Amino acid sequence: MAQTPTPPIDATGADEADLTGVAPRTKAKPSVEKIGDRKLKPSTLMMGHGYDPMLSEGSLKPPIFATSTYVFPNAAAGKRHFEGVTGKRPGGSQGLVYSRFNGPNQEILEDRLGVWEEAEDALVFSSGMSAIATLLLSMVKPGDTIVHSGPLYAATETLIARILGRFGVQWLDFPAGATREEIDAVMTKAATGNVALIYLESPANPTNALVDIQAVRASRDAIFTGENKPPIAIDNTFLGPLWLKPLEHGAEIVVYSLTKYAGGHSDLVAGGVLGSKEHINTIRLMRNTIGTICDPNTAWMLMRSLETLELRMSRAGENAVKVCAFLRSHPKVERVGYLGFLADTPGMERQADIYARHCTGAGSTFSLIVRGGETEAFAFLDALKIAKLAVSLGGTETLASHPAAMTHLSVSDERKQALGITDNLVRISIGVEDPDDLIADFEQALDSI
Ligand code: PLP
């Protein structure tokens, strides 16, 4: 929904007379999305889309709306807004109501987030996990099955298996790199029960394995005929929204930890969900109930981040190409697990094929497998001077961490082995620094092992 003025624009054509008492400048001017036949690009739209300065005293940038509640022009408008908030009328509220439901900063941000993937609608959340939890809670009931790719981000796996499991929700998974036949086999088994959702993560955290979204869609459409098709949702945190656009490949809902590339400065925590109006309406009702919306200040910071998203991601991606080329040839390096190397890695033909069909860039997050074990990996990490030793990814600064001893410490040894999370594996997220400075840092750290 565009920046919602109070009182509302009545888009349904209902009698506006009962919503009046309005000052003349209350209608948000539609943003310019085209010049002649030319459709403007997301990087252009991030500067103004969804915001009308004239609704905010001419302020070039949207102010931060620090308020918990909004004044209704009259009782009829309040009633109408609550019809939207409670789902009596689909599409969300047509006016501003209460900051657990909506706010100008969040609505402008949602409009802009949707632009990158041409999604019909979008929602923002207080974290990636609150976005995922709200999505799952809005879709499942006891007895349902979630079919998912594996591995998933550890907290998502916990949420599905251990937390929703307590409420009678079951799950079945297939490995991220599964073929159409392997996906079909899992879907067929799951289809004996009620499948509420197909949930993917690509590339998977932490293996970087890609999911064949096109094959999942074809499998879903072949196996679930008629009305009962479970929607396909995907966590696009690692490559989105620049290098992978899952809605173009058959997914219907896209999930983000906006904490990562979208926020991009390692200074906020937030989440997002994009998709069709129908799905977003369902998820919005759950968000309204449990209050997982992001706060206005974070929304404002994210709007600022989105203005430079393409610049930051492009530079980080270019840096990663150079850094990975250097790392790959260093004698102390056993292997570099980087999507850009799939095409010339023996045994990775299927992953390379998925990459070629789905992705427009390899991102800037990869694994570095040093020769040796934990001692050598720790020595490398401790010697870094520019790259910071911290978990997370997608920020302007380069980060490095040790999954086996940090993010995946509690994962069993067998599962770590199955996922390839070895003691000599270091996870790196490249930022926007000078690439040659980064190479100098990695070189001195490798030499010091
Ligand atoms: N999804 C993926 C792929 C992630 O890597 C993360 C966090 O690292 C999340 C979801 C959770 O996001 P947040 O930390 O913003 O809750």
Side-chain angles (χ1 to χ4, degrees), residues 421-448:
I421 306 173
T422 49
D423 285 340
N424 58 346
L425 185 147
V426 170
R427 189 148 189 83
I428 296 176
S429 165
I430 296 289
V432 300
E433 302 93 336
D434 180 89
D436 295 324
D437 287 348
L438 289 175
I439 290 171
D441 191 24
F442 289 129
E443 185 168 27
Q444 65 80 23
L446 284 167
D447 291 347
S448 78

mmCIF file of all heavy atoms in Angstrom, residues 421-448:
data_model
loop_
_atom_site.group_PDB
_atom_site.id
_atom_site.type_symbol
_atom_site.label_atom_id
_atom_site.label_comp_id
_atom_site.label_asym_id
_atom_site.label_seq_id
_atom_site.Cartn_x
_atom_site.Cartn_y
_atom_site.Cartn_z
ATOM 1 N N ILE A 421 30.236 -28.942 7.054
ATOM 2 C CA ILE A 421 30.720 -27.865 7.942
ATOM 3 C C ILE A 421 31.907 -28.419 8.728
ATOM 4 O O ILE A 421 31.772 -28.924 9.842
ATOM 5 C CB ILE A 421 29.602 -27.387 8.898
ATOM 6 C CG1 ILE A 421 28.376 -26.994 8.088
ATOM 7 C CG2 ILE A 421 30.082 -26.203 9.743
ATOM 8 C CD1 ILE A 421 27.169 -26.674 8.928
ATOM 9 N N THR A 422 33.067 -28.327 8.102
ATOM 10 C CA THR A 422 34.267 -28.916 8.691
ATOM 11 C C THR A 422 35.004 -27.879 9.550
ATOM 12 O O THR A 422 34.706 -26.683 9.485
ATOM 13 C CB THR A 422 35.193 -29.408 7.562
ATOM 14 O OG1 THR A 422 35.318 -28.335 6.613
ATOM 15 C CG2 THR A 422 34.610 -30.616 6.858
ATOM 16 N N ASP A 423 35.983 -28.379 10.322
ATOM 17 C CA ASP A 423 36.724 -27.485 11.222
ATOM 18 C C ASP A 423 37.640 -26.517 10.479
ATOM 19 O O ASP A 423 38.129 -25.551 11.064
ATOM 20 C CB ASP A 423 37.559 -28.315 12.210
ATOM 21 C CG ASP A 423 36.678 -28.925 13.283
ATOM 22 O OD1 ASP A 423 35.557 -28.413 13.483
ATOM 23 O OD2 ASP A 423 37.112 -29.911 13.909
ATOM 24 N N ASN A 424 37.925 -26.825 9.208
ATOM 25 C CA ASN A 424 38.807 -25.921 8.444
ATOM 26 C C ASN A 424 38.015 -24.970 7.539
ATOM 27 O O ASN A 424 38.578 -24.347 6.660
ATOM 28 C CB ASN A 424 39.842 -26.719 7.626
ATOM 29 C CG ASN A 424 39.194 -27.692 6.661
ATOM 30 O OD1 ASN A 424 38.001 -27.988 6.758
ATOM 31 N ND2 ASN A 424 39.990 -28.213 5.742
ATOM 32 N N LEU A 425 36.689 -24.886 7.789
ATOM 33 C CA LEU A 425 35.853 -24.021 6.947
ATOM 34 C C LEU A 425 35.624 -22.661 7.609
ATOM 35 O O LEU A 425 35.171 -22.573 8.755
ATOM 36 C CB LEU A 425 34.513 -24.703 6.678
ATOM 37 C CG LEU A 425 33.540 -24.010 5.722
ATOM 38 C CD1 LEU A 425 32.717 -25.047 4.947
ATOM 39 C CD2 LEU A 425 32.604 -23.057 6.429
ATOM 40 N N VAL A 426 35.942 -21.619 6.864
ATOM 41 C CA VAL A 426 35.732 -20.244 7.326
ATOM 42 C C VAL A 426 34.681 -19.620 6.415
ATOM 43 O O VAL A 426 34.726 -19.809 5.199
ATOM 44 C CB VAL A 426 37.058 -19.442 7.237
ATOM 45 C CG1 VAL A 426 36.818 -17.965 7.466
ATOM 46 C CG2 VAL A 426 38.082 -19.987 8.218
ATOM 47 N N ARG A 427 33.741 -18.911 7.016
ATOM 48 C CA ARG A 427 32.713 -18.272 6.200
ATOM 49 C C ARG A 427 33.063 -16.791 6.042
ATOM 50 O O ARG A 427 33.388 -16.117 7.017
ATOM 51 C CB ARG A 427 31.382 -18.418 6.916
ATOM 52 C CG ARG A 427 30.238 -17.988 6.094
ATOM 53 C CD ARG A 427 29.001 -18.795 6.421
ATOM 54 N NE ARG A 427 27.963 -18.493 5.459
ATOM 55 C CZ ARG A 427 27.894 -19.074 4.280
ATOM 56 N NH1 ARG A 427 28.771 -19.981 3.920
ATOM 57 N NH2 ARG A 427 26.928 -18.760 3.467
ATOM 58 N N ILE A 428 32.985 -16.323 4.809
ATOM 59 C CA ILE A 428 33.379 -14.933 4.548
ATOM 60 C C ILE A 428 32.258 -14.193 3.814
ATOM 61 O O ILE A 428 31.653 -14.725 2.884
ATOM 62 C CB ILE A 428 34.691 -14.893 3.713
ATOM 63 C CG1 ILE A 428 35.834 -15.501 4.546
ATOM 64 C CG2 ILE A 428 35.029 -13.462 3.300
ATOM 65 C CD1 ILE A 428 37.139 -15.618 3.819
ATOM 66 N N SER A 429 31.987 -12.979 4.265
ATOM 67 C CA SER A 429 31.073 -12.096 3.550
ATOM 68 C C SER A 429 31.865 -10.861 3.158
ATOM 69 O O SER A 429 32.377 -10.135 4.016
ATOM 70 C CB SER A 429 29.901 -11.705 4.462
ATOM 71 O OG SER A 429 29.212 -10.603 3.906
ATOM 72 N N ILE A 430 32.003 -10.663 1.855
ATOM 73 C CA ILE A 430 32.832 -9.558 1.370
ATOM 74 C C ILE A 430 32.022 -8.263 1.323
ATOM 75 O O ILE A 430 30.864 -8.254 0.884
ATOM 76 C CB ILE A 430 33.381 -9.894 -0.042
ATOM 77 C CG1 ILE A 430 34.323 -11.116 0.016
ATOM 78 C CG2 ILE A 430 34.072 -8.696 -0.677
ATOM 79 C CD1 ILE A 430 35.647 -10.867 0.679
ATOM 80 N N GLY A 431 32.649 -7.180 1.753
ATOM 81 C CA GLY A 431 31.993 -5.872 1.762
ATOM 82 C C GLY A 431 32.403 -5.000 0.587
ATOM 83 O O GLY A 431 32.763 -5.515 -0.477
ATOM 84 N N VAL A 432 32.373 -3.702 0.806
ATOM 85 C CA VAL A 432 32.595 -2.765 -0.303
ATOM 86 C C VAL A 432 33.951 -2.042 -0.199
ATOM 87 O O VAL A 432 34.169 -1.017 -0.826
ATOM 88 C CB VAL A 432 31.452 -1.725 -0.400
ATOM 89 C CG1 VAL A 432 30.116 -2.411 -0.620
ATOM 90 C CG2 VAL A 432 31.381 -0.838 0.849
ATOM 91 N N GLU A 433 34.859 -2.603 0.611
ATOM 92 C CA GLU A 433 36.182 -1.981 0.747
ATOM 93 C C GLU A 433 36.937 -2.068 -0.584
ATOM 94 O O GLU A 433 36.468 -2.679 -1.536
ATOM 95 C CB GLU A 433 37.008 -2.721 1.824
ATOM 96 C CG GLU A 433 36.381 -2.786 3.211
ATOM 97 C CD GLU A 433 35.551 -4.055 3.448
ATOM 98 O OE1 GLU A 433 35.074 -4.664 2.467
ATOM 99 O OE2 GLU A 433 35.385 -4.418 4.626
ATOM 100 N N ASP A 434 38.146 -1.517 -0.606
ATOM 101 C CA ASP A 434 38.981 -1.654 -1.795
ATOM 102 C C ASP A 434 39.379 -3.127 -1.934
ATOM 103 O O ASP A 434 39.900 -3.726 -0.980
ATOM 104 C CB ASP A 434 40.240 -0.787 -1.650
ATOM 105 C CG ASP A 434 41.117 -0.913 -2.871
ATOM 106 O OD1 ASP A 434 40.912 -0.137 -3.813
ATOM 107 O OD2 ASP A 434 41.977 -1.828 -2.910
ATOM 108 N N PRO A 435 39.163 -3.733 -3.106
ATOM 109 C CA PRO A 435 39.421 -5.170 -3.231
ATOM 110 C C PRO A 435 40.884 -5.552 -3.024
ATOM 111 O O PRO A 435 41.190 -6.606 -2.473
ATOM 112 C CB PRO A 435 38.953 -5.510 -4.653
ATOM 113 C CG PRO A 435 38.885 -4.209 -5.371
ATOM 114 C CD PRO A 435 38.624 -3.156 -4.339
ATOM 115 N N ASP A 436 41.805 -4.671 -3.458
ATOM 116 C CA ASP A 436 43.222 -5.004 -3.294
ATOM 117 C C ASP A 436 43.650 -4.929 -1.829
ATOM 118 O O ASP A 436 44.528 -5.677 -1.396
ATOM 119 C CB ASP A 436 44.093 -4.098 -4.185
ATOM 120 C CG ASP A 436 43.800 -4.374 -5.658
ATOM 121 O OD1 ASP A 436 43.554 -5.556 -5.996
ATOM 122 O OD2 ASP A 436 43.770 -3.415 -6.454
ATOM 123 N N ASP A 437 43.023 -4.033 -1.067
ATOM 124 C CA ASP A 437 43.287 -3.999 0.380
ATOM 125 C C ASP A 437 42.816 -5.310 1.016
ATOM 126 O O ASP A 437 43.499 -5.877 1.879
ATOM 127 C CB ASP A 437 42.547 -2.828 1.046
ATOM 128 C CG ASP A 437 43.186 -1.477 0.726
ATOM 129 O OD1 ASP A 437 44.316 -1.473 0.192
ATOM 130 O OD2 ASP A 437 42.552 -0.445 1.014
ATOM 131 N N LEU A 438 41.644 -5.776 0.580
ATOM 132 C CA LEU A 438 41.128 -7.040 1.134
ATOM 133 C C LEU A 438 42.057 -8.195 0.786
ATOM 134 O O LEU A 438 42.361 -9.045 1.633
ATOM 135 C CB LEU A 438 39.720 -7.326 0.595
ATOM 136 C CG LEU A 438 38.594 -6.418 1.116
ATOM 137 C CD1 LEU A 438 37.284 -6.735 0.410
ATOM 138 C CD2 LEU A 438 38.430 -6.578 2.630
ATOM 139 N N ILE A 439 42.517 -8.210 -0.455
ATOM 140 C CA ILE A 439 43.426 -9.287 -0.876
ATOM 141 C C ILE A 439 44.704 -9.249 -0.037
ATOM 142 O O ILE A 439 45.192 -10.288 0.434
ATOM 143 C CB ILE A 439 43.712 -9.191 -2.397
ATOM 144 C CG1 ILE A 439 42.435 -9.571 -3.170
ATOM 145 C CG2 ILE A 439 44.894 -10.073 -2.800
ATOM 146 C CD1 ILE A 439 42.482 -9.331 -4.663
ATOM 147 N N ALA A 440 45.221 -8.038 0.209
ATOM 148 C CA ALA A 440 46.436 -7.904 1.039
ATOM 149 C C ALA A 440 46.171 -8.466 2.435
ATOM 150 O O ALA A 440 47.034 -9.155 3.016
ATOM 151 C CB ALA A 440 46.848 -6.432 1.116
ATOM 152 N N ASP A 441 44.986 -8.200 2.973
ATOM 153 C CA ASP A 441 44.646 -8.689 4.317
ATOM 154 C C ASP A 441 44.573 -10.220 4.327
ATOM 155 O O ASP A 441 45.159 -10.882 5.187
ATOM 156 C CB ASP A 441 43.306 -8.083 4.754
ATOM 157 C CG ASP A 441 43.034 -8.332 6.231
ATOM 158 O OD1 ASP A 441 43.998 -8.532 6.997
ATOM 159 O OD2 ASP A 441 41.847 -8.315 6.635
ATOM 160 N N PHE A 442 43.855 -10.779 3.353
ATOM 161 C CA PHE A 442 43.732 -12.248 3.313
ATOM 162 C C PHE A 442 45.104 -12.903 3.075
ATOM 163 O O PHE A 442 45.411 -13.937 3.648
ATOM 164 C CB PHE A 442 42.733 -12.683 2.235
ATOM 165 C CG PHE A 442 41.297 -12.365 2.604
ATOM 166 C CD1 PHE A 442 40.466 -11.691 1.735
ATOM 167 C CD2 PHE A 442 40.775 -12.749 3.833
ATOM 168 C CE1 PHE A 442 39.149 -11.395 2.082
ATOM 169 C CE2 PHE A 442 39.469 -12.456 4.194
ATOM 170 C CZ PHE A 442 38.658 -11.779 3.315
ATOM 171 N N GLU A 443 45.923 -12.272 2.256
ATOM 172 C CA GLU A 443 47.248 -12.839 1.968
ATOM 173 C C GLU A 443 48.096 -12.895 3.238
ATOM 174 O O GLU A 443 48.677 -13.940 3.571
ATOM 175 C CB GLU A 443 47.961 -12.011 0.891
ATOM 176 C CG GLU A 443 49.282 -12.625 0.461
ATOM 177 C CD GLU A 443 49.835 -11.972 -0.798
ATOM 178 O OE1 GLU A 443 49.538 -10.787 -1.054
ATOM 179 O OE2 GLU A 443 50.571 -12.664 -1.534
ATOM 180 N N GLN A 444 48.134 -11.782 3.987
ATOM 181 C CA GLN A 444 48.978 -11.779 5.209
ATOM 182 C C GLN A 444 48.399 -12.751 6.240
ATOM 183 O O GLN A 444 49.148 -13.420 6.955
ATOM 184 C CB GLN A 444 49.199 -10.366 5.754
ATOM 185 C CG GLN A 444 47.988 -9.603 6.266
ATOM 186 C CD GLN A 444 47.554 -9.980 7.674
ATOM 187 O OE1 GLN A 444 48.386 -10.489 8.449
ATOM 188 N NE2 GLN A 444 46.280 -9.806 7.993
ATOM 189 N N ALA A 445 47.066 -12.894 6.297
ATOM 190 C CA ALA A 445 46.472 -13.814 7.274
ATOM 191 C C ALA A 445 46.758 -15.267 6.898
ATOM 192 O O ALA A 445 47.073 -16.090 7.759
ATOM 193 C CB ALA A 445 44.975 -13.558 7.385
ATOM 194 N N LEU A 446 46.691 -15.576 5.601
ATOM 195 C CA LEU A 446 47.008 -16.947 5.159
ATOM 196 C C LEU A 446 48.485 -17.241 5.386
ATOM 197 O O LEU A 446 48.846 -18.327 5.864
ATOM 198 C CB LEU A 446 46.649 -17.126 3.667
ATOM 199 C CG LEU A 446 45.157 -17.287 3.358
ATOM 200 C CD1 LEU A 446 44.903 -17.139 1.859
ATOM 201 C CD2 LEU A 446 44.627 -18.636 3.852
ATOM 202 N N ASP A 447 49.331 -16.261 5.071
ATOM 203 C CA ASP A 447 50.790 -16.459 5.244
ATOM 204 C C ASP A 447 51.146 -16.700 6.705
ATOM 205 O O ASP A 447 52.143 -17.351 7.010
ATOM 206 C CB ASP A 447 51.565 -15.253 4.698
ATOM 207 C CG ASP A 447 51.477 -15.186 3.174
ATOM 208 O OD1 ASP A 447 51.046 -16.187 2.560
ATOM 209 O OD2 ASP A 447 51.809 -14.125 2.611
ATOM 210 N N SER A 448 50.341 -16.150 7.598
ATOM 211 C CA SER A 448 50.679 -16.263 9.035
ATOM 212 C C SER A 448 50.255 -17.608 9.634
ATOM 213 O O SER A 448 50.566 -17.881 10.790
ATOM 214 C CB SER A 448 49.987 -15.129 9.806
ATOM 215 O OG SER A 448 48.637 -15.443 9.987
#
